[in-house]
């Protein structure tokens, strides 16, 4: 629940034409006809060089089974290179799943995947836009002030416009199905400065998206309509002077 406790997505800008990209030696990629916008297909050696040999001074983030480095490309643009551990079949599957999701998401509020490189030596790599303002997770849990409730609701609404609900099914279902525990889910940093009824609406909506029965899950348009009609905090998004 990004708007409640934690979220790791970044914000993105811009867009260019489509180029078809296949992972080297991967027949599944060819069958899936993966499309990555503006891909160039750099090699792992090139990406290593762009990050100054994965220098610690270029380290942006490190968590779980992945590490992110800042890379300066030949055209002087800055991009983020995420290296994912490929030491096991399970980790390789996680990489493939993430890649499958990322190539399908194209939205102004989601950081843009630019390229990918499959490499057994260094690890599988994903190349993203570099967003100097940091991640939403940083803003939620960092020391730069608290993001107010209405802005969190706005982010949730904008992300709902971009993400395929079918891919959001996770282990969160048991928690989300218990609306009585909403207060426990809300970020304590908000110090009760949120609308409880709106939080209940969002939790109920999230739980419906995780239904075991696909026919009972709301469509993307139904999700957006529910948020638009029942979350008054985001009314400013539809005003002439909207600021998140």
């Amino acid at each position: 629940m990004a708007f409640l406790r934690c979220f790791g997505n970044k914000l993105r800008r811009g867009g260019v034409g489509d180029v078809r990209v296949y992972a080297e030696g991967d027949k599944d990629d060819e069958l899936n006809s993966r499309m990555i916008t503006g891909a160039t297909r750099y090699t792992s050696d090139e990406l290593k060089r762009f990050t100054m040999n994965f220098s610690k001074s270029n380290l942006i983030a490190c968590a779980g089974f992945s590490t992110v480095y800042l890379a300066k490309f030949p055209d002087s643009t800055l991009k983020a290179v995420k290296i994912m551990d490929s030491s096991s079949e399970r980790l390789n599957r996680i990489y493939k799943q993430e890649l499958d999701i990322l190539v399908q998401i194209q939205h102004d509020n989601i950081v843009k995947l630019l390229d990918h490189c499959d490499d057994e030596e260094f690890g599988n790599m994903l190349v993203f836009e570099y967003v100097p303002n940091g991640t939403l997770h940083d803003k939620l849990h960092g020391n730069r002030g608290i993001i107010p409730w209405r802005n969190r609701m706005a982010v949730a609404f904008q992300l709902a416009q971009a993400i395929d609900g079918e891919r959001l099914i996770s282990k969160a279902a048991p928690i989300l199905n218990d609306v009585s525990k909403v207060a426990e889910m809300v970020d304590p940093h908000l110090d009760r400065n949120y609308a409880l009824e709106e939080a209940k609406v969002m939790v109920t909506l999230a739980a419906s998206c995780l239904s075991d029965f696909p026919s009972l899950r709301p469509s993307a348009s139904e999700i957006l309509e529910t948020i638009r009609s029942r979350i008054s905090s985001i009314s400013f998004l539809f005003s002439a002077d909207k600021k998140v």
Side-chain angles (χ1 to χ4, degrees), residues 112-126:
K112 182 181 175 185
L113 176 67
L114 302 173
D115 204 349
H116 75 93
C117 176
D118 301 348
D119 190 279
E120 294 182 358
E121 180 182 358
F122 298 118
N124 296 316
M125 304 182 193
L126 299 172

Side-chain angles (χ1 to χ4, degrees), residues 37-193:
T37 303
T40 303
R41 292 314 308 277
Y42 290 102
T43 67
S44 56
D45 287 332
E46 288 175 315
L47 294 177
K48 180 180 179 181
R49 187 169 69 253
F50 300 158
T51 61
M52 297 176 62
N53 296 321
F54 306 132
S55 168
K56 288 185 178 180
S57 63
N58 283 42
L59 182 65
I60 296 176
C62 182
F65 298 97
S66 64
T67 308
V68 182
Y69 292 93
L70 178 64
K72 186 174 182 179
F73 280 66
D75 60 359
S76 295
T77 59
L78 297 178
K79 298 172 185 175
V81 176
K82 180 178 181 180
I83 304 176
M84 302 181 67
D85 190 338
S86 59
S87 60
S88 71
E89 185 59 34
R90 183 180 70 85
L91 292 173
N92 273 309
R93 285 199 304 270
I94 292 175
Y95 162 72
K96 295 295 184 184
Q97 290 170 354
E98 181 167 341
L99 180 59
D100 283 339
I101 294 173
L102 290 170
V103 297
Q104 296 181 54
I105 298 178
Q106 299 292 328
H107 194 274
D108 286 341
N109 294 324
I110 302 293
V111 68
K112 182 181 175 185
L113 176 67
L114 302 173
D115 204 349
H116 75 93
C117 176
D118 301 348
D119 190 279
E120 294 182 358
E121 180 182 358
F122 298 118
N124 296 316
M125 304 182 193
L126 299 172
V127 182
F128 295 94
E129 288 178 294
Y130 173 58
V131 184
N133 289 331
T135 68
L136 182 55
H137 182 276
D138 295 335
K139 295 183 183 299
L140 286 173
H141 305 290
N143 298 316
R144 300 181 181 180
I146 305 301
I147 297 180
W149 177 256
R150 74 163 200 163
N151 291 34
R152 296 177 188 226
M153 293 296 94
V155 170
F157 178 78
Q158 292 169 336
L159 290 177
Q161 294 176 305
I163 299 176
D164 180 359
E166 194 67 29
R167 294 183 177 275
L168 294 179
I169 299 175
S170 68
K171 295 180 181 180
I175 299 175
L176 296 176
N177 281 324
D178 190 348
V179 180
S180 65
K181 294 185 177 181
V182 169
E184 298 176 18
M185 302 181 203
V186 177
D187 188 345
H189 290 98
L190 284 172
D191 194 26
R192 299 186 179 181
N193 291 317

